Each structure stands twice: as structure tokens, then as C-alpha cells.
Amino acid sequence: GAGVSQSPSNKVTEKGKDVELRCDPISGHTALYWYRQSLGQGLEFLIYFQGNSAPDKSGLPSDRFSAERTGGSVSTLTIQRTQQEDSAVYLCASSLEGFEQYFGPGTRLTVT
Amino acid sequence: GNSVTQMEGPVTLSEEAFLTINCTYTATGYPSLFWYVQYPGEGLQLLLKATKADDKGSNKGFEATYRKETTSFHLEKGSVQVSDSAVYFCALLRPHGNKLVFGAGTILRVKS
């Protein structure tokens, strides 16, 4: 079946602009996660959604980062007023609750 | 806190050589342990997992055993192939947790 998909695959933006990254999880997966992969910090957890529960936002690095999940499916990660240190690969994953996480191919964000 | 430490790479081997990538962890309670692999230009794929002490995860000729006494989950393969060249990540998921904690990743290069 279809895996986790993310769009765009690459995004180049100017410093100070806002960006939106999209994630389509595996159908039927109730949990959705965002991670960030950067050279300096490795793989870091950002945010977690599970069903209708309040999301776990404990990994978001600043208030410029936000995410939402509409209808328990698609999720959008928004970065406002992007900075150069936001350049990274943003990975989305989904799972059934309590089971292993399946990752998408990622969105490579470059802030110039 | 929870953390994962992996051996630094890159690891360079000849085809058919034996592979070990060391992974140790620090965690409260008894986490689940995972190895993920990232092939060039692709997203993270789950390679294998173990959920309790002495469990052995295995897949595609790779194995790792959950050692509680040494808090380790070393990845091994008896005979590597060029196609195994990738970045390997060790990760933990604490009991009842939702966020994976990753090691820094180890680059494996296999030469023919």
C-alpha cells in the first residue's frame, strides 16, 4: 500500500519568509510525528499527534514553528519568518498507536 | 534523560566482511530499541526492532540483540554487500512514550 508521502520534496526560501510542509500519513494510522534532521543536531523530535488528543509539542524549537493535523489525517508543519538555522530535512512519520513508526522521504528545506 | 550513543563513522568495509555497529543507550525503564537505515537519497526505513531484554531483532541478514545488562543493541551482519552502503541509526522509544530518540547515525561504506 501507499507509504507516508511528503511535499514538497525540496523547498528553497528566503530568510524571513513563511513555509508550509505537508505530510500524508499511511491510511488508518492514528499517530503522526514530525522530526527534523540537520547536520549539527542529528534527528530531533518536533511534534506528535495522536487521534483527537492534544498534540505533544515539546520538541518544537521556537514559537515560529507550528503544526496542525486536519481530520485526523493530513498534517501541515508551518515555519514562520524562516531563519538560516531552520535549514534541514523535515521528516514525517506515522504509526498505529504503540507500533513502529514509518517515515516519509522528507522535505529538504534550504533558507537562503 | 534518554539518549543513544553510536560508534562514529564512517565505517568502510570490503564486500563480504563482517559488520558491527555499536549502540548503547541510557533510558528510564525498559525502552523498545530500533535500527533504522537511510539509503542515499531516501527516507528512513525500519530495519529491525526489539521490545524486551534478550530479544533478537533480525532482517535482511542484519541482527541485533537487546542486552539489558550492558544497555546495548549492537547491529551485526555476517557478510556485507555494496548495497548495504547507507546511514544506520539506532533509536529508542521509552515505555508508553511517543517520540523516538535517535543516535547520531553511522555511515557505512562497502567497497567491491
Side-chain angles (χ1 to χ4, degrees), chain A residues 33 35 37 42-45 48 56 58-59 91 99-105, chain B residues 34 36 38 41-46 49 89 93 98-104:
Chain A
Y33 315 76
Y35 293 84
Q37 184 175 22
L43 272 157
E44 307 170 278
F45 167 82
Y48 160 71
D56 176 353
S58 60
L91 295 169
F99 287 78
E100 55 265 29
Q101 298 176 27
Y102 292 88
F103 284 79
Chain B
F34 304 84
Y36 280 84
Q38 189 173 34
E42 298 185 15
L44 285 169
Q45 299 177 24
L46 178 65
K49 68 175 183 179
F89 293 92
L93 183 68
N98 52 51
K99 64 191 81 167
L100 286 165
V101 175
F102 287 91

Side-chain angles (χ1 to χ4, degrees), chain A residues 11-31:
Chain A
K11 176 72 177 179
V12 180
T13 190
E14 292 180 352
K15 179 182 173 181
K17 300 285 189 183
D18 298 353
V19 294
E20 287 189 350
L21 313 179
R22 177 188 168 102
C23 172
D24 282 89
I26 293 172
S27 177
H29 279 190
T30 54

Side-chain angles (χ1 to χ4, degrees), chain A residues 59-92:
Chain A
L60 294 179
S62 79
D63 58 9
R64 296 186 294 104
F65 287 71
S66 63
E68 63 177 20
R69 188 179 185 192
T70 53
S73 180
V74 172
S75 176
T76 303
L77 177 69
T78 301
I79 309 173
Q80 295 179 310
R81 306 180 301 282
T82 51
Q83 303 296 312
Q84 288 188 330
E85 62 262 29
D86 299 335
S87 296
V89 176
Y90 289 82
L91 295 169
C92 176

